[in-house]
Amino acid sequence: MAEHAHGDHGHHELPFWQKYVFSTDHKVIGIQYAVTALFFLLFGFCLMMMMRWQLAYPGQPMPWIGTLFSAVNMPEGIMVPEFYNQLGAMHGTIMVFLGVVPLAVGGFGNYVLPLQIGAPDMAFPKLNMASYWVFYVGGVIMLASFFVPEGAAQSGWTSYPPLAVIAPTGQTWWLWGMVALITSSLLGSVNFIVTTVQMRAEGLSFFRLPFFVWAQFVTAFLLLLAFPPLEAAGVMQLMDRIAGTSFFMPSGLVVTGQALDVSGGGSPLLWQHLFWFLAHPEVYVLILPAMGIVGEIVANNTRRPLWGYRTLVYSIVFLGFMSFIVWAHHMFMTGMGTTISTFFQATTMIISIPSVIILTAFALSLHGGSIRFTVPMLFCLAFIPMFAIGGLTGLPLGLTASDLHLHDTYYVIGHFHYVVAPGTIFALFAGIYYWFPKATGRMMNDALGKLHFWTSLIFMNGVFMPMMFVGMAGVSRRLYDQTQYAYGAQVQGLTAMSSWSAWLLGLAQIFFIVNFFWSMRKGKKVESDNPWQATTLEWATPTPPPHGNFKDTPRVCRGPYEYSVPGASSDFIPQHASDNGQVDQPESEPAPTPADDD
Amino acid sequence: MAESAEEIRKHVRVYILVFAALAVLTVVTVGVSYLKIESVAATVLIALFIASIKGGLVAGYFMHLVSEKQIIFWVLALTVVFFAALMLLPSVTEFSGVGELEGQV
Amino acid sequence: MSVEEIPHTVEPHPITGVYNGKFGIWLFLASEVMLFGALFSTLVLLRVGAPSWPQGSELLNVPLATLNTFVLIASSVTMVMSWASLKMDNFGRFKLYLGLTVLLAFVFLVIKYFEYTHKFHLGIFPSTSTFYATYFTMTGLHGLHVVGGIIVNLYLLFPGSKLWHTAPEQFANRIECAGLYWHFVDLVWIFLFPILYLL
Amino acid sequence: MQEKVYGYWLPIDISTHGATVDWLINWLHVFMVALFLGWGVFFIYCLVRYRRRANPDATYDPIKGKIAKYVEYGVIVVEAVLLIGLSMPLWADFKHAFPDESDALVVRVVPEQFAWNIHYSGTDGKFGRTAPEFVSADNLLGLDPDDPDGNDDFNAINNLHIVKDKPVIAHVSSKDVIHSFKIPVLRLTQDAIPGQDIRIWFEATKNGAFDIACAQLCGLGHYRMRGQLTVESEAAFQAWFDEQSGAADEEDEFSF
Ligand code: HEA
Ligand code: HEA
Ligand code: CUA
Ligand SMILES: [Cu+2]
């Protein structure tokens, strides 16, 4: 962020704290989000690297690091099960709500979306700032919860009651934290939708929007409509914990030999419904912006238009819509009848189709391209097969008959990490490498980037591929020590392999962290405002973009990916360029109809 | 939305009418509830029906939905779809499941 | 010089026909619909699943709640009147109506306060039964929305109203948005009232 | 000869319904791998053929051709077939086509943190009434002492004994939090939800001792919530059953 200071063009000076701390500029807020989120990603990953020790070498003291922790959590360096559960729950929560969503939506969305639509800022800059700071508070609450008596939340990121209701104080903090995070996302999503609908530059009809903007737009609707039910559920779980209500507590509970003193009459499954009503759309919130980033970078680096732009757009809109009615595939094993389970299996199968189409379109975009293997492109290219593995392994989970064996095993962990880690995280890395020059005026180092890429790719697979087999063997997730079971002991070797890969993956990130900070000060300066020779509007601004973004309000004359247009003088025509004397409307485009939203 | 003062004055008359209607309907709801209708379904339906009319009046006139722009409708239509899913599916799932709710341990 | 003004804060967008704030507040209300939707869904699920469920009218104070319904409806009317007064350029009347709205909102809360404390005196708390849990949670959350509305309206009534003298249209828009929110709070109550108290 | 029970893929299957599950899992994976490899070949081909050096000028027009579309339709068809042809019937069978209670062994599975209480009805074949208020350290199930049906009931903690080739009906519930009753070799998972009584059934086809696992996070002891499934012959089972049930009866005698 400090780097950002140099690039400012110094008109109407604001005091430091208004410019960089309580800023209302979408770019500053975007960077604040991104940096905070990167910190959390690293933190969440560190939690996981600790857990991986216990998984690989159950019950053995953790060398060196183990001694840093209190005797409550790690007596003689050995992790206790409570602490393992805390780390697991917080890893999930932090990665999803404090890492990926803030980076993908808060960071990239805030920074790039207004630029790509040619807007001077977000529609509600103050709200935008509020959204960041509410997020920040949520993050602080989450972190602080590690220090309350008996530690942080330990009932999984899903916080299923009754367990979560009878859990120690950390859970209450988790709930307050979630309330803050959800509120922040809501504020953000209102802003994104209004900005996209109301503030597109002249000529930028909906079907000329970059794919990334579409992805963010659909994502915003998911955040807007899926998050409130969890907020309500969170409030109810808080009531259960604080006011002693029984929303999620059935009658007749006997905990550790004591009849529980609650009125009863609640339903534990109700929580699961409300949670997954949020959390399934949420997983698409994790993937859609990633797909958007990949779309941008693939088009840019193949030097040809994305294959089937409209199909892609329809696919993500459909994906967003469907994601609201598949949630119960997380609940197949709760005793669901045939009719309902068939309904949810069918919707789950249906929702996989648009993903297939999107991936197909990306792959077809390569055909006939002139592919530049830049660092961002490498990450995107890896995204495609990695997401495919993650997506394909979703299919056996989506059918009850196979989920019967695979539910809540490491196979599930493998499935979704393939989509979120070598999938989303790779796309986010790609986005950082890609937009870094816009934000800082300097390129990131290529050699370090390539090292980062290849090591990450290898070790990511080393972490998650073994999990598929561990899960197939039947090993449950959230298991402190799988050697307790004969079939777990059998595959312990694979688990150890995962762990070693995870630690190596951690080391591989050093390339990135060094590159990130080094390039900020010492990276090669960009020679033009458009170092990737891209078409979209964010490259039409000065570098870094000043407050207010554009020198002159851009006027858009064409679609987003006009690369290698036959007969054009260069292999790309920016969206706002009006060369060849052409001013407007090369093809007959219907007037923008904002009504066809998700 | 540059409405003339004259139009606004017309609006005001509508607001007063709506207010009256809402007041009357409130009395009706309460009144009906004292009738102690046997069928639970009927009671619920009547109550919800009246509430919907009242809600419709508020949304339609106070919130100007009757003359609102398309885009607002699209947003609301979408919301209504998911609202319906949220209202129906959890209960349907729970009560068509194979489990029986039991007081027993 | 760069472009700095955010378009359509006041002027409606030529295609959508609405200004940013109005679109934003409607989106926000859409999310509120889902928020309360989850609570209503909870009520339905718990109620259908319960072996027996009390009749609200036998446990809760229907006359007070009916009175509160009138209060809230009246405040909705004054709210919309305050906006209409602005549109008719009558700032004084606007202040009167908005002040009334805030006052009525306070009345609502005071009545609610009596209802709650009465229950507490009887030893009835949210933990008493799932019926009371839903009652207190739903009305409590609604009450918080009322408080939010009061804060916004008070702001617009006093410090915020300066805007009228510099940007009357923008100020009227703000009142409209505040009004939309306020009517929504009223609307939620219109459903809460029969569902909790009468059924 | 010792057959390998557990390995790097599915464990052995000793259930009557497991074959379908395994068939689905295996063929679905073949399909997935085929799809992935098919796409992979195309993908790699593109990367090599259309790298910048080999193809300095990109083509503007999208490639035509129907193959991608056919593949997509193919995916739809396969998914539909698997859903309608396999998953649905299996689920219907598993959830609704229960064997007759008289032909089956009926047990109640009532887990708690962190053990599996397996409630057998005893020789009288009737389960005694249970209620939370009766739960104590030596009455983990909360059997009502006044209910004669419960006298010979017994609780085989962490020990599920069943008979080979005889269907079992289990009523799965929970005393405290949600657990999940998982027996990998039976291809069985059923969440145990407090306040609900969920009926499942299965049938084992091989003798032996196998692991029962808890598949739902239930607290700090989740990882060690292991039970043992013993599948044995009718005779062996009966001997064990009579012994347990008699012992339970005697115990009750003392306490009255
Ligand atoms: C970004 C996140 C993300 C995404 C995109 C998905 C996508 C999908 N998920 Fe996943 N899922 C999660 C995150 C995600 N999931 C998480 C976090 C959990 C666990 C939560 C918890 O319990 O803690 C979970 C759990 C989960 C379950 C519950 C399992 C259980 O608990 O028993 C199920 C079941 O149906 C499921 C199904 C699916 C399906 C069918 C898709 C589909 O949308 C996938 C569609 C994609 C494809 C089918 C790929 C097609 C591609 C090709 C065919 C191209 C081929 C190749 C090349 C181009 C090279 N997921
Ligand atoms: C977005 C979501 C996300 C992401 C990205 C990850 C990433 C990873 N996860 Fe996680 N995981 C979850 C979401 C996620 N996870 C969830 C929801 C659960 C379930 C929790 C539960 O059971 O309740 C889970 C559970 C889970 C488990 C199972 C635990 C158990 O069941 O007991 C394991 C086991 O190995 C694991 C491992 C990993 C690993 C090795 C990574 C690695 O891929 C991590 C790689 C991380 C990076 C590569 C970050 C790099 C960041 C930087 C380098 C920052 C640089 C900083 C600056 C420049 C300032 N995860
Ligand atoms: Cu019991 Cu996990
Ligand atoms: Cu899902």
Side-chain angles (χ1 to χ4, degrees), chain A residues 215-401:
Chain A
Q216 289 284 346
F217 187 59
V218 175
T219 304
F221 271 96
L222 301 188
L223 293 173
L224 184 78
L225 298 177
F227 270 47
L230 186 65
E231 185 141 19
V235 168
M236 287 189 272
Q237 198 178 93
L238 271 175
M239 291 290 288
D240 274 8
R241 291 181 57 89
I242 296 170
T245 56
S246 297
F247 284 109
F248 305 123
M249 305 292 272
S251 312
L253 292 183
V254 183
V255 178
T256 53
Q258 298 281 306
L260 207 63
D261 181 26
V262 294
S263 69
S267 161
L269 286 186
L270 172 62
W271 167 270
Q272 298 191 12
H273 282 294
L274 297 178
F275 181 84
W276 291 116
F277 187 92
L278 152 98
H280 188 86
E282 168 72 21
V283 306
Y284 288 91
V285 169
L286 302 176
I287 203 71
L288 292 183
M291 289 174 166
I293 294 173
V294 172
E296 294 302 301
I297 295 174
V298 163
N300 178 254
N301 286 286
T302 53
R303 313 307 294 167
R304 62 188 297 268
L306 271 186
W307 189 91
Y309 169 78
R310 280 193 183 237
T311 317
L312 279 170
V313 168
Y314 293 135
S315 295
I316 52 169
V317 171
F318 183 66
L319 200 60
F321 184 86
M322 287 302 291
S323 73
F324 279 88
I325 46 175
V326 301
W327 80 81
H329 66 208
H330 296 270
M331 301 167 61
F332 282 146
M333 297 305 136
T334 57
M336 204 182 278
T338 313
T339 325
I340 290 293
S341 78
T342 304
F343 172 76
F344 282 110
Q345 289 177 77
T347 53
T348 303
M349 292 300 114
I350 292 171
I351 203 175
S352 68
I353 302 302
S355 303
V356 174
I357 295 176
I358 291 172
L359 278 206
T360 309
F362 286 159
L364 290 178
S365 299
L366 302 175
H367 193 279
S370 171
I371 301 169
R372 303 171 172 175
F373 291 97
T374 59
V375 176
M377 184 62 170
L378 287 175
F379 276 101
C380 289
L381 289 175
F383 170 93
I384 298 171
M386 293 297 110
F387 175 76
I389 297 179
L392 288 170
T393 50
L395 300 179
L397 297 173
L399 293 170
T400 48

Side-chain angles (χ1 to χ4, degrees), chain A residues 35 37-39 41-42 45 48-49 51-52 55 84 88-89 91-93 95-96 100 155-158 286 410 413 416-417 420-422 424-425 429 452 456 460 463-464 467 476-480 498 502 505 509-510 512-513 516-517, chain D residues 217:
Chain A
V35 171
L38 278 171
F39 164 75
L41 276 180
L42 189 58
F45 189 24
M48 187 40 72
M49 287 195 277
M51 291 171 73
R52 292 288 344 168
L55 289 170
Y84 178 88
H91 163 76
T93 309
M95 285 308 209
V96 172
V100 173
S155 311
W157 81 294
T158 49
L286 302 176
Y410 263 91
I413 303 285
F416 74 78
H417 279 89
V420 295
T424 303
I425 295 274
F429 279 141
H452 176 221
S456 292
M460 278 285 186
V463 182
F464 298 117
M467 288 186 186
S476 302
R477 56 194 286 204
R478 296 165 172 169
L479 216 53
Y480 170 73
S498 271
L505 177 64
Q509 302 316 310
I510 294 176
F512 175 72
I513 297 173
F516 189 82
F517 289 108
Chain D
L217 179 64

Side-chain angles (χ1 to χ4, degrees), chain A residues 487-502:
Chain A
Y487 52 86
Q490 175 77 32
V491 292
Q492 178 64 18
L494 287 177
T495 298
M497 177 184 158
S498 271
S499 292
W500 279 99
S501 299

Side-chain angles (χ1 to χ4, degrees), chain D residues 112 114 116 178-180 214-219 222 225:
Chain D
E112 66 181 79
F114 301 99
W116 297 97
I178 300 178
H179 303 268
S180 192
C214 179
Q216 183 63 267
L217 179 64
C218 51
H222 165 59
M225 198 165 152

Side-chain angles (χ1 to χ4, degrees), chain D residues 149-170:
Chain D
D149 287 344
N151 282 349
D152 59 351
D153 288 17
F154 63 93
N155 177 8
I157 298 171
N158 287 333
N159 250 312
L160 175 63
H161 283 247
I162 62 173
V163 182
K164 180 171 168 279
D165 295 327
K166 180 173 176 180
V168 181
I169 295 177

